[in-house]
Amino acid sequence: MQSLESEESYVGNLYQRFPVSIIKGKGCKVWDTNGREYLDCMGGYGVALVGHCNDRVVQAITEQCHELITCHMSVYNEVRLRFLKKFNSIAPKNLQSTFFTNSGTEAVEAALKFSRKFTGKSGIIALNGGYHGKTFGSLSVTYNEKYRKSFLPLLEGVKFISYSEVESISEIVTRSESNIGTIIVEPIQGETGIIMPPPNFLKSIREICTAKGLVLIFDEIQSGLGRTGKMWAGQHWDVEPDIMCLAKGVAGGVPMGLATMRPEILNSLKIGEHSSTFAGNPLACAAGSAAIDALVEDGLVTNSEKVGKIFKDGLIKLKENHKIIRDVRGLGMMLGVEMRFDVKDILLDGINHGILLLYSGRNILRLLPPLVMNEEEVNKSLQLIEILIQKEEKRRFG
């Protein structure tokens, strides 16, 4: 515990932290400083997409760090080119131009800037409940007041709508004062609690953007790259955006973000209008190529669909047996369990029982395990979650 307190004195009180110090990870498991093993359903907030210390990623990083670690975008690099070719082979067919960033919020910042340059319009429509990051631009399109209130004023011209207001978008866009050029959405809202859109919502948004000449941005930072059982969450509704933002597991745990888009959008910018010093570095690109190989060649997207269904079905069964669970939702390995009470005690008890769980707000358990999780590990996770729920029921009801 002393080491945890010592770290706290250096980094400040900016994160909701758990009383555990992790020093090792492999696949779906991590170990603490005492050698204790945990099933990791937190997955580094979704970063451990292809598993902790994935063999392909470790080998790629090891080999690359002996050759070249940094290489600015002002010069060419074969490792970067290899990654781009691999990525374009899995990207939505019309999104074939990519800007490298170092994180998800940077990818959103780039997308918002590029959309404004392309359309010449500064107005943005975002969704109630949407989360896109905490830098000023991405925070401006993030809905939750607790993140926004200390940093106002943010970008002007942002209009938040609910799912039910999709029919009013055309009216909003045609107002003379709106100047709307961009709509940004998460196909599945992650931070808000794994919120699924109404069946025709994304298609309706796509049709409106096409008809009105708006740029549609999908934030797939949490939902992309096989997390939902398809390579891209938008595929569940057969909808393709104009720009797509990625990060988290795109490089197997190494920091990398991407804004990939229709070529004409990226081509609307001039040299120097946007750049990043570390972006597109060969170390991250080597790791990114290995992560894509893991997703495609090791069948992790298919595994996400198959094992995710087993996980969700098991959670639904728990809901049927425990009234403390209000709802179970999600796709693939992006799952949410909405409880009728605060989940803080469940999270802390999880650590004592050898499982790391994530949260959304006060009462939702969020599960973002690595896509390498197998059926045995899912069943063990379900057993542990049921034990935690039973303990919570005993605390609440005696």
Side-chain angles (χ1 to χ4, degrees):
M1 194 68 179
Q2 184 178 356
S3 63
L4 305 183
E5 293 171 352
S6 297
E7 182 180 318
E8 198 73 46
S9 68
Y10 290 97
V11 300
N13 187 28
L14 294 178
Y15 295 87
Q16 179 66 50
R17 312 196 82 189
F18 297 94
V20 59
S21 180
I22 300 300
I23 61 169
K24 180 182 176 182
K26 187 65 181 176
C28 292
K29 298 176 181 178
V30 294
W31 289 263
D32 67 15
T33 49
N34 297 315
R36 188 177 183 194
E37 179 182 292
Y38 302 82
L39 269 172
D40 186 11
C41 289
M42 177 189 288
Y45 276 69
V47 172
L49 186 79
V50 296
H52 291 282
C53 294
N54 180 281
D55 289 344
R56 291 181 183 271
V57 175
V58 170
Q59 182 179 353
I61 293 172
T62 302
E63 293 175 356
Q64 186 58 44
C65 72
H66 287 291
E67 298 294 328
L68 184 66
I69 293 176
T70 187
C71 180
H72 191 266
M73 290 287 295
S74 59
V75 296
Y76 299 91
N77 178 258
E78 291 184 0
V79 179
R80 187 188 301 135
L81 178 60
R82 182 165 67 247
F83 169 79
L84 287 166
K85 288 180 176 179
K86 283 180 182 287
F87 178 70
N88 272 25
S89 71
I90 64 170
K93 64 179 181 178
N94 292 318
L95 309 188
Q96 296 292 299
S97 289
T98 296
F99 180 83
F100 286 97
T101 70
N102 308 286
S103 67
T105 193
E106 289 178 56
V108 172
E109 293 283 346
L112 295 175
K113 281 184 69 175
F114 296 176
S115 179
R116 180 183 290 198
K117 179 66 187 293
F118 181 70
T119 64
K121 296 180 178 180
S122 60
I124 304 167
I125 290 176
L127 275 185
N128 293 355
Y131 178 85
H132 302 287
K134 292 172 181 163
T135 52
F136 270 99
S138 57
L139 185 59
S140 299
V141 292
T142 291
Y143 180 74
N144 198 321
E145 184 65 20
K146 74 176 182 180
Y147 300 134
R148 298 165 55 87
K149 63 182 179 180
S150 297
F151 306 101
L152 300 173
L154 298 169
L155 288 182
E156 297 180 354
V158 178
K159 169 73 174 176
F160 288 98
I161 66 166
S162 67
Y163 284 122
S164 63
E165 293 178 285
V166 63
E167 300 301 330
S168 67
I169 292 177
S170 293
E171 178 187 344
I172 294 170
V173 171
T174 55
R175 292 174 190 163
S176 59
E177 74 277 9
S178 70
N179 201 32
I180 300 293
T182 306
I183 300 180
I184 182 168
V185 300
E186 299 164 271
I188 300 173
Q189 291 185 344
E191 175 77 12
T192 306
I194 317 300
I195 305 300
M196 306 290 292
N200 294 319
F201 178 79
L202 294 179
K203 276 190 175 293
S204 296
I205 290 282
R206 175 69 276 176
E207 290 169 359
I208 291 168
C209 287
T210 300
K212 300 293 185 179
L214 309 180
V215 169
L216 175 59
I217 300 172
F218 274 3
D219 179 341
E220 292 239 24
I221 292 165
Q222 189 169 142
S223 63
L225 293 160
R227 170 62 64 189
T228 67
K230 291 185 181 292
M231 188 63 76
W232 313 115
Q235 290 177 306
H236 290 283
W237 296 273
D238 194 27
V239 177
E240 184 176 296
D242 302 302
I243 304 177
M244 185 169 67
C245 300
L246 300 171
K248 292 198 181 290
V250 69
V254 175
M256 177 189 272
L258 302 172
T260 189
M261 64 204 78
R262 292 192 286 117
E264 58 267 33
I265 297 175
L266 190 55
N267 291 339
S268 70
L269 274 82
K270 298 177 182 178
I271 290 176
E273 286 191 319
H274 200 66
S275 60
S276 175
T277 301
F278 294 105
N281 70 80
L283 191 67
C285 288
S289 290
I292 291 173
D293 287 343
L295 288 170
V296 175
E297 297 179 17
D298 298 340
L300 296 190
V301 181
T302 301
N303 190 66
S304 175
E305 179 183 26
K306 176 186 173 184
V307 178
K309 185 179 187 306
I310 294 170
F311 210 156
K312 185 177 180 181
D313 288 346
L315 292 169
I316 291 172
K317 187 173 181 180
L318 290 182
K319 176 180 179 293
E320 293 169 353
N321 296 328
H322 299 278
K323 300 305 180 185
I324 194 174
I325 301 177
R326 177 177 287 152
D327 193 21
V328 173
R329 50 186 178 259
L331 291 169
M333 302 293 261
M334 185 177 182
L335 300 170
V337 183
E338 183 175 346
M339 312 296 287
R340 297 185 186 276
F341 304 100
D342 192 308
V343 298
K344 181 180 179 181
D345 290 338
I346 293 177
L347 296 173
L348 295 176
D349 271 352
I351 295 172
N352 295 329
H353 284 78
I355 185 169
L356 300 183
L357 301 165
L358 192 53
Y359 61 93
S360 291
R362 296 174 60 87
N363 70 318
I364 298 170
L365 295 176
R366 182 169 27 148
L367 306 174
L368 299 174
L371 306 192
V372 297
M373 181 172 271
N374 59 38
E375 188 172 348
E376 180 182 349
E377 291 165 329
V378 165
N379 288 332
K380 185 176 180 181
S381 298
L382 288 166
Q383 290 169 6
L384 292 172
I385 291 171
E386 182 164 32
I387 290 171
L388 299 175
I389 289 171
Q390 289 170 340
K391 290 190 68 176
E392 182 68 9
E393 288 175 327
K394 189 174 181 179
R395 273 193 295 268
R396 296 282 177 180
F397 309 118

